[in-house]
Amino acid sequence: MIQKSLVAISIVLLSSCTTTKPVNNSSGNGYPGSDTLITQSLFSDRASTISEDNIQKVLDGNYKLQQKLRVAIVSLQSQSRTKRYYWSDEQYLKTQQSYLDLFSQKIRLSPRVAGISIIPDLLISTSPSFTNIREAAVRMQADVVVVYSISSDMYSRYKLFSKTDIKAFATTQFILLDIRTGLIPFSAIVTRDVLSQMKKDELDQAEASARVQNEAVLLTIDEIGKNITEFLNN
């Protein structure tokens, strides 16, 4: 009887001395403790083109764009139904050139821009990567490279007793790539639309559609031009 009592007392004492492990290590205010704070990637990505150490350096480092900039421009036209609304290849090419000229004109408004060059298609692959674009810009001795892409489309709403409404929308994507660091200090995506009708001096619906589509694209370029000029000036 005495032996059984001693065993029972021993079990109670051992139970009272056992320490419990908390479910999570919190600081008391609901937030994780310092020993659970994640400061670097826990994912193993073998396809990554930048090391984990360099990712930390980029995120923790300071960056400053050069004061005087030689700018190169690359146009990457996305696959859209833009071209079919133009009468000919000549008209389409002239329109694309006008977009390029307008971007150049807007960028030149900043006093920081020392010069602008256009990277020819011969230096850019059909599916260019950032590495390809950066190397092409280096050959042009550019400090930064502007990369933009324009996509657009049309919608028509036919009316029985009045002119057909023609609506176009355009989206322009724009990035500024620093050649020395590979960083992107500025980017923008702007979408605009225009609603119009066929004018008396326009021969057919295709000519009217091309005009409306062009107006939508110009609105996006004008907006991005203001944004990039303000960024460079500040």
Side-chain angles (χ1 to χ4, degrees):
M1 184 67 180
I2 297 175
Q3 186 177 4
K4 292 182 177 179
S5 299
L6 291 174
V7 171
I9 294 173
S10 299
I11 294 175
V12 172
L13 291 174
L14 289 173
S15 299
S16 62
C17 293
T18 302
T19 57
T20 58
K21 183 178 181 181
V23 176
N24 54 40
N25 186 10
S26 300
S27 58
N29 55 5
Y31 295 99
S34 60
D35 58 337
T36 63
L37 183 64
I38 299 175
T39 60
Q40 60 184 5
S41 174
L42 303 179
F43 301 95
S44 178
D45 186 3
R46 297 181 179 179
S48 176
T49 57
I50 181 172
S51 67
E52 292 296 332
D53 289 340
N54 286 337
I55 289 176
Q56 295 298 321
K57 290 179 181 179
V58 169
L59 295 179
D60 297 336
N62 297 319
Y63 169 76
K64 185 177 181 180
L65 196 63
Q66 283 187 261
Q67 185 60 33
K68 284 296 182 180
L69 302 171
R70 295 167 294 181
V71 182
I73 301 180
V74 175
S75 170
L76 302 180
Q77 288 306 317
S78 62
Q79 297 298 320
S80 64
R81 289 179 282 174
T82 303
K83 192 172 181 178
R84 77 179 191 183
Y85 295 104
Y86 292 90
W87 289 350
S88 63
D89 288 342
E90 179 183 2
Q91 185 192 17
Y92 175 78
L93 292 174
K94 286 182 178 179
T95 302
Q96 299 305 311
Q97 182 63 45
S98 68
Y99 299 156
L100 185 60
D101 293 340
L102 184 56
F103 266 120
S104 300
Q105 177 184 340
K106 295 291 184 180
I107 295 172
R108 287 184 190 276
L109 294 177
S110 173
R112 295 180 66 179
V113 176
I116 294 180
S117 59
I118 310 301
I119 297 181
D121 294 340
L122 293 175
L123 293 178
I124 304 296
S125 63
T126 54
S127 299
S129 63
F130 280 110
T131 301
N132 175 219
I133 294 174
R134 189 181 180 193
E135 290 179 352
V138 168
R139 295 178 186 274
M140 306 290 291
Q141 288 189 312
D143 300 304
V144 294
V145 57
V146 163
V147 184
Y148 73 89
S149 174
I150 299 173
S151 60
S152 57
D153 211 337
M154 303 291 304
Y155 294 101
S156 296
R157 185 171 60 187
Y158 295 95
K159 297 181 179 180
L160 185 60
F161 300 107
S162 60
K163 291 183 179 180
T164 299
D165 288 337
I166 304 171
K167 184 177 182 180
F169 79 89
T171 298
T172 299
Q173 301 184 60
F174 180 103
I175 65 171
L176 183 70
L177 175 65
D178 184 359
I179 302 304
R180 287 177 173 80
T181 64
L183 298 179
I184 299 175
F186 177 87
S187 66
I189 301 177
V190 176
T191 298
R192 293 290 182 270
D193 59 75
V194 173
L195 180 65
S196 183
Q197 293 180 336
M198 184 175 173
K199 295 182 178 181
K200 294 181 179 180
D201 59 343
E202 292 172 332
L203 298 179
D204 54 22
Q205 190 80 2
E207 183 180 0
S209 297
R211 172 184 57 82
V212 177
Q213 194 171 33
N214 183 59
E215 290 175 358
V217 173
L218 293 178
L219 287 177
T220 65
I221 297 177
D222 184 67
E223 180 67 22
I224 290 178
K226 293 177 181 178
N227 293 339
I228 185 61
T229 301
E230 181 179 356
F231 169 78
L232 292 176
N233 290 344
N234 290 337

